[in-house]
Amino acid sequence: MLYSLTFLVEKLSLLSNFKLFEFKWTDGKHKGAGCTERTTYSPVVAPLSLQRGDLLEVPRTLFTHFGIYLGDNKVAHLIPDIMPVLTNDKMIIKKVITNKRLIMGCLYKCAAVRVDTLDDFVYGSNILVNHMDRKCKAQQPFPNEEVAERAEQLVGAIPYSLLWNNCEHFVTYCRYGSAKSQQTEMFCEFLKSIIRDQRSVFLSVLLGIIYIICFGLAPSTTLPTILIPFTLWMAG
């Protein structure tokens, strides 16, 4: 039991320090030559310093949201939304997306590249501008006007995948020409660390035994108790 608790505490601690979907702001002296990275802390004055085609990042609690600035206080961004599936009424679709619409869009794997005001996109958070340029040194960004045009061409309904086609894939495609997500890569690495840790085998066995004790000995309880630890053992 102590062995399992140690494993759980270690992984939870790793997750809390990992900040799975958040990228740190680093001081300008660490930036490479020619990097256009800069930051804007006040959404109220942001339009005065933003340029059309800038890549915007808005740190959230568990993830970072991305968009492309189009000028005139407008931002193109990919966001899960169930409404394009339910109606063709553009006035309804254009309304600010609620949490319910967002969650249903995630479950239905439907999203939209939409244009919202900067204030709606930021939602009171700070803005990081072209922060990803430093992380993508191997790929030079397109000229800003081309970035904005690529984003505008994709406006509309689009399939969604939390890991394989999210808002970060959208902006990296627009700015660098290839759709990538560092958030997805970090999440996959985190899952690998759990699978490779052989204590997860012991923990899965313990949970399986508890499951059998609670619900009785049956194929629905016995098979997972055997197969899950075996799979973890072979994958570790």
Side-chain angles (χ1 to χ4, degrees):
M1 180 65 73
L2 181 61
Y3 196 61
S4 300
L5 289 175
T6 303
F7 172 76
L8 285 175
V9 170
E10 179 181 312
K11 292 307 175 186
L12 288 174
S13 175
L14 176 61
L15 182 59
S16 65
N17 293 323
F18 190 42
K19 294 191 176 178
L20 187 58
F21 300 127
E22 182 177 346
F23 300 129
K24 291 285 190 179
W25 170 258
T26 56
D27 190 85
K29 65 184 179 181
H30 296 296
K31 295 184 291 185
C35 182
T36 58
E37 178 184 349
R38 59 189 187 280
T39 184
T40 302
Y41 286 102
S42 175
V44 177
V45 299
L48 300 177
S49 58
L50 294 177
Q51 299 176 10
R52 178 172 160 85
D54 278 343
L55 191 159
L56 308 184
E57 301 180 31
V58 180
R60 305 294 192 197
T61 303
L62 295 176
F63 62 94
T64 299
H65 191 47
F66 297 83
I68 299 294
Y69 187 66
L70 301 180
D72 296 327
N73 202 35
K74 301 294 184 181
V75 180
H77 60 126
L78 187 154
I79 187 169
D81 186 14
I82 190 63
M83 202 56 67
V85 178
L86 304 178
T87 180
N88 292 323
D89 191 328
K90 294 183 178 180
M91 295 303 295
I92 295 178
I93 296 174
K94 191 176 180 180
K95 292 181 179 179
V96 176
I97 295 178
T98 62
N99 288 334
K100 185 177 181 180
R101 281 175 61 176
L102 189 148
I103 293 172
M104 292 299 295
C106 285
L107 296 176
Y108 199 78
K109 294 187 176 181
C110 176
V113 175
R114 52 184 286 145
V115 178
D116 287 315
T117 66
L118 182 64
D119 289 339
D120 288 339
F121 170 76
V122 172
Y123 203 66
S125 299
N126 295 329
I127 309 171
L128 303 181
V129 185
N130 297 331
H131 180 53
M132 196 176 292
D133 286 355
R134 181 178 58 84
K135 295 178 176 291
C136 300
K137 293 180 180 179
Q139 295 176 294
Q140 290 297 318
F142 293 129
N144 272 31
E145 182 59 31
E146 183 176 348
V147 173
E149 290 176 354
R150 290 167 70 91
E152 290 170 335
Q153 291 172 1
L154 294 175
V155 171
I158 190 173
Y160 179 77
S161 170
L162 182 63
L163 294 181
W164 314 121
N165 191 37
N166 57 40
C167 60
E168 189 175 4
H169 290 99
F170 164 68
V171 297
T172 53
Y173 170 78
C174 292
R175 190 163 177 86
Y176 308 108
S178 59
K180 295 182 179 180
S181 173
Q182 295 179 355
Q183 296 182 113
T184 294
E185 294 172 1
M186 293 169 69
F187 178 72
C188 291
E189 285 300 319
F190 176 72
L191 290 182
K192 287 179 183 178
S193 70
I194 294 178
I195 294 174
R196 289 170 178 169
D197 195 321
Q198 292 299 294
R199 286 175 293 181
S200 60
V201 178
F202 179 81
L203 180 61
S204 63
V205 171
L206 179 61
L207 292 176
I209 293 174
I210 295 174
Y211 188 51
I212 291 175
I213 294 174
C214 293
F215 297 98
L217 190 63
S220 61
T221 58
T222 305
L223 288 178
T225 302
I226 296 174
L227 293 179
I228 294 176
F230 176 76
T231 302
L232 290 173
W233 174 264
M234 296 303 296

